[in-house]
Amino acid sequence: MSTTGDTRTEPVDEAVDVEDPPEAEDPREAEDAPAAPATTRSARRRRVTPAAIAAGLLAVLLLAGTGLLIRTSQLTDPAATSNAALTDTAATSRVIGDVSNTLGKVFSYTPEDTRATELAAKELLAGSAAGQYEALFGQVKQQVAAQKLTLTTHVVRAGVTRLDGDSAQLLVFLDQTAERKGKKATTAAAQLSVTARFHDGHWQITDITSR
């Protein structure tokens, strides 16, 4: 009797791609690995924590509070509260306007008309300023006609440093342009300390000091 061969076949497993397990890192390679870029390290160092932000805000608030306390103490100081230049904008502007107009008039003249300048000085100047101006302009007037001299004064900036009732002190910056007939005009800057008083409805200059 013949025997039949065993025709059973073993099941064939389907091919499956399996990733190789990661190789263990060689400690020597880790040592030889390049260091992290400087930008990455600096970015880590610049990382700000909420605690640091809160501390910074607290410092700013403390500084601001200190500044307000100092400012408040200055404004409540008797000397400061009596200075209307710090509190009365309208009065300060009035002083600056009157004084600027006066300086523009009394320090501007033409060879043909010095009389108008003299009249303005008599009306707008008082005290030592009037005496100083009269002595000075008496000398200048003799040269104006002969030299055909024209002087124009323009106040560039003026500020009231103290305003107390009818008395004011100012710091004034002005430009003066002098022109002689047939010659190029020249401009010079000047800085004056001015004292003024309120009289008869307007501010009169009582003292002028060149700085």
Side-chain angles (χ1 to χ4, degrees):
M1 181 176 63
S2 63
T3 61
T4 305
D6 189 359
T7 58
R8 290 180 302 174
T9 58
E10 296 293 333
V12 179
D13 295 334
E14 294 181 0
V16 178
D17 292 332
V18 179
E19 294 181 0
D20 295 331
E23 297 180 359
E25 184 179 354
D26 190 341
R28 290 174 299 177
E29 293 179 357
E31 293 177 357
D32 296 336
T39 55
T40 303
R41 296 197 305 270
S42 60
R44 291 173 180 170
R45 286 197 299 268
R46 289 197 300 267
R47 194 171 296 164
V48 180
T49 64
I53 295 176
L57 290 175
L58 179 59
V60 172
L61 291 174
L62 288 175
L63 289 174
T66 302
L68 289 174
L69 288 174
I70 294 174
R71 181 60 178 168
T72 301
S73 64
Q74 290 175 344
L75 292 177
T76 55
D77 182 76
T81 54
S82 65
N83 186 4
L86 301 176
T87 58
D88 196 334
T89 304
T92 301
S93 298
R94 174 70 183 278
V95 177
I96 292 175
D98 285 357
V99 169
S100 297
N101 289 334
T102 296
L103 293 175
K105 289 179 178 179
V106 302
F107 289 120
S108 297
Y109 47 77
T110 65
E112 296 78 19
D113 187 11
T114 58
R115 181 63 179 166
T117 303
E118 287 184 289
L119 292 176
K122 289 181 179 181
E123 178 186 357
L124 303 173
L125 300 181
S128 61
Q132 294 168 356
Y133 185 87
E134 185 177 357
L136 175 64
F137 195 74
Q139 301 174 8
V140 172
K141 185 171 60 174
Q142 298 175 1
Q143 304 174 5
V144 171
Q147 299 180 3
K148 303 296 181 182
L149 177 63
T150 298
L151 181 68
T152 304
T153 297
H154 173 67
V155 174
V156 178
R157 182 177 299 176
V160 180
T161 58
R162 183 159 192 83
L163 176 58
D164 185 4
D166 60 355
S167 177
Q169 295 178 348
L170 301 90
L171 183 61
V172 182
F173 298 87
L174 48 83
D175 285 342
Q176 292 184 301
T177 302
E179 184 177 4
R180 291 179 173 84
K181 188 174 182 179
K183 294 185 179 180
K184 187 177 180 180
T186 59
T187 300
Q191 181 178 346
L192 305 176
S193 291
V194 176
T195 301
R197 72 175 183 183
F198 191 74
H199 176 72
D200 198 18
H202 64 273
W203 287 90
Q204 290 181 321
I205 294 178
T206 58
D207 187 71
I208 301 175
T209 304
S210 178
R211 296 174 63 92

